[in-house]
Amino acid sequence: MVSTKTQIASFEFDNCLMNAAGVACMTIEELEGVKNSAAGTFVTKTATLDFRQGNPEPRYQDVPLGSINSMGLPNKGLDYYLDYLLDLQEKEPNRTFFLSLVGMSPEETHTLLKKVQESDFRGLTELNLSCPNVPGKPQIAYDFETTDRILAEVFAYFTKPLGIKLPPYFDIVHFDQATAIFNKYPLKFVNCVNSIGNGLYIEDESVVIRPKNGFGGIGGEYIKPTALANVHAFYQRLNPQIQIIGTGGVLTGRDAFEHILCGASMVQVGTTLHKEGVGAFERITNELKVIMAEKGYESLEDFRGKLRYID
Ligand code: DHB
């Protein structure tokens, strides 16, 4: 009997696979599609306080080894997602879902989180500290001072289960510095990684997306080694109460297996979900179960974090 069930904080999930924020999660219809698939749960599109149109199209392009996007945080505004989730938690009291959000300023982030705090929402909140695509707004989590200040302010009033979505880091010192900040706070999880920011993809003599002269976040096969490195670096460093969600380059069950081996408790699928649709969850789950069965693993705990090193 092989099981891919998992837990984040005190919440249980029948499957460790779910969508990555940004894919298949803008509308209730899309969220229902993920909910009713083999996925264990869903996360909403990152919500801002108000509806946002986002950047001009074309702004997302699938490419052979992954994807490039510069969406610019298009979303329906916090109330749309929060109202849906409040309704859903009454209809499906035995399941838990993720709400992703970030403000266009630290002040707006606090307004959003205070609304969630004051609501009856009982799920998990993911604060997105890593959107690379809003012109003039840097990826928050690359600014350690600001990140520390925002988290200190947030935990002065926010008592519900909260995690953060991180951009990829590329230097060991940055893993150390980021961890020193995150370990000060009662975070329930960190999600590694968001897209690798500000890549360029060229076809013939042209970029393939309109915003920012073609610069956009890279996902898919390109980013798996970076994603795994971030999952494992934080798994090695973070207080064990802070769990890891692994995101980046998950095309197959083998990729999900590697994320879990690096320490992930939940695995998110972005680019592959965009390319393949919600059927990807069943396929990847089955592939993961075959690998686990071959190795004699019955649960994720049997191999989570147990990456082997060469002496
Ligand atoms: C957007 C893209 C991202 O990769 C992200 O993490 C958040 C937002 C976007 O452009 O909407």
Side-chain angles (χ1 to χ4, degrees), residues 203-221:
E203 256 169 18
D204 189 16
E205 298 183 25
S206 173
V207 302
V208 296
I209 55 173
R210 188 184 309 276
K212 295 171 63 178
N213 289 339
F215 285 74
I218 305 295
E221 283 184 66

Side-chain angles (χ1 to χ4, degrees), residues 14-190:
D14 286 345
N15 190 5
C16 62
L17 294 175
M18 63 183 291
N19 68 303
V23 181
C25 60
M26 181 90 82
T27 65
I28 289 170
E29 196 177 17
E30 290 176 311
L31 291 163
E32 288 277 311
V34 178
K35 177 173 74 70
N36 297 328
S37 76
T41 181
F42 65 65
V43 58
T44 68
K45 175 64 187 172
T46 297
T48 52
L49 189 56
D50 299 313
F51 165 90
R52 281 176 60 83
Q53 193 71 249
N55 293 337
E57 296 179 343
R59 59 192 185 183
Y60 187 112
Q61 181 66 46
D62 284 318
V63 302
L65 296 180
S67 62
I68 183 166
N69 88 83
S70 183
M71 302 298 287
L73 284 178
N75 77 93
K76 293 185 173 290
L78 178 68
D79 287 346
Y80 177 91
Y81 302 104
L82 193 52
D83 289 349
Y84 169 60
L85 287 164
L86 290 171
D87 192 41
L88 191 55
Q89 71 186 11
E90 301 312 314
K91 288 185 180 144
E92 304 214 28
N94 297 321
R95 293 187 72 184
T96 302
F97 302 96
F98 289 71
L99 170 63
S100 172
L101 55 75
V102 72
M104 300 306 292
S105 64
E107 294 67 35
E108 187 181 317
T109 294
H110 294 313
T111 302
L112 292 163
L113 286 171
K114 284 175 183 169
K115 282 187 84 154
V116 175
Q117 176 68 26
E118 286 157 20
S119 77
D120 291 325
F121 180 59
R122 294 191 294 270
L124 287 148
T125 301
E126 177 172 286
L127 174 59
N128 182 356
L129 296 179
S130 45
C131 176
N133 298 331
V134 180
K137 302 275 183 191
Q139 292 164 81
I140 297 166
Y142 283 151
D143 177 343
F144 290 135
E145 215 175 56
T146 300
T147 296
D148 195 6
R149 180 171 57 80
I150 289 173
L151 291 176
E153 291 167 355
V154 164
F155 284 110
Y157 60 84
F158 199 80
T159 59
K160 294 184 175 186
L162 181 74
I164 49 180
K165 179 80 173 273
L166 297 176
Y169 298 102
F170 301 92
D171 194 289
I172 299 298
V173 168
H174 292 164
F175 291 131
D176 293 338
Q177 292 172 340
T179 302
I181 294 167
F182 303 150
N183 274 344
K184 296 196 291 181
Y185 301 103
L187 290 163
K188 296 299 185 197
F189 66 89
V190 302

Side-chain angles (χ1 to χ4, degrees), residues 219-234:
E221 283 184 66
Y222 293 113
I223 79 166
K224 189 177 75 169
T226 294
L228 293 175
N230 276 259
V231 168
H232 197 57
F234 284 110

